[in-house]
Amino acid sequence: VAKTERARQSLIAQRQEHSVESEDLATVNGVLGAGGTVEAPIGRHRTQRTRMTVSSQGKPAVSHYRVMKKYRAHTLVQVRLESGRTHQIRVHMAHLHHPVVGDPVYGGRLKIPAGASEKLKHELRGFKRQALHALKLSLTHPGTGKRVQWASLVPEDMNKLMEALAQD
């Protein structure tokens, strides 16, 4: 997103200093007991170079997650990143054996829980992306030096999915 080299360097430095703050919302498969922290290094997969994986040879990565709502067979979590590794939330949630709903790379095939309502089956089958949404992003503007923040509403498709999960 940087339009100049100076801005790019500033954003890289802010990431390294952990001063970029982001909050994401994710619906994951399975029911998490409580929130927590995943501190697991992330690097490229040894054989599938387009995938990332938890690896002792990877770069440090820390994700803090908080359970927002538990459903019968899913969990809505809010995730705050200390680091910004490629696919970090997706990799860390899969590492916990709770992959993000709709993630074909780290989540495997579609999982429809036994006894799911027709509405939930319809929503899960029709959800054609990862159930992951960036709620907030905050950083120091590289040009002005002022702190800036962006917020985004949860998209309609995720709201419909959460509604179907709540009714199931």
Side-chain angles (χ1 to χ4, degrees):
V1 297
K3 292 185 178 182
T4 67
E5 182 59 22
R6 187 172 145 253
R8 187 178 82 81
Q9 292 299 326
S10 173
L11 294 172
I12 289 170
Q14 288 182 64
R15 266 293 185 197
Q16 290 172 342
E17 296 163 359
H18 306 295
S19 65
V20 174
E21 297 174 15
S22 68
E23 286 182 23
D24 296 83
L25 199 63
T27 303
V28 299
N29 287 299
V31 180
L32 284 160
T37 297
V38 182
E39 193 168 346
I42 294 177
R44 292 233 173 256
H45 192 280
R46 284 186 314 120
T47 58
Q48 299 171 10
R49 303 303 290 165
T50 57
R51 288 180 57 140
M52 305 303 282
T53 189
V54 168
S55 164
S56 59
Q57 267 76 84
K59 293 181 180 178
V62 179
S63 302
H64 303 281
Y65 64 95
R66 189 172 99 202
V67 172
M68 301 303 289
K69 186 159 186 161
K70 293 180 186 180
Y71 302 106
R72 184 172 63 85
H74 297 83
T75 308
L76 180 67
V77 293
Q78 186 174 3
V79 184
R80 186 176 53 81
L81 303 177
E82 274 191 33
S83 45
R85 305 290 171 224
T86 303
H87 302 174
Q88 181 172 328
I89 294 171
R90 297 165 61 198
V91 172
H92 275 173
M93 291 295 105
H95 181 68
L96 293 177
H97 305 290
H98 292 281
V100 174
V101 169
D103 188 345
V105 177
Y106 303 104
R109 64 178 181 79
L110 174 66
K111 295 171 183 71
I112 296 179
S117 67
E118 287 304 315
K119 181 177 181 178
L120 179 57
K121 289 178 188 177
H122 174 76
E123 289 300 325
L124 286 170
R125 287 186 181 120
F127 204 83
K128 301 297 183 191
R129 64 180 185 90
Q130 295 105 23
L132 180 60
H133 175 69
L135 288 172
K136 291 181 191 173
L137 177 66
S138 176
L139 53 86
T140 302
H141 190 283
T144 66
K146 292 183 180 175
R147 194 77 181 163
V148 290
Q149 179 174 306
W150 295 270
S152 176
L153 297 174
V154 177
E156 185 59 31
D157 62 346
M158 274 189 73
N159 279 325
K160 286 175 67 176
L161 176 62
M162 290 184 290
E163 182 182 304
L165 289 167
Q167 291 175 357
D168 180 58

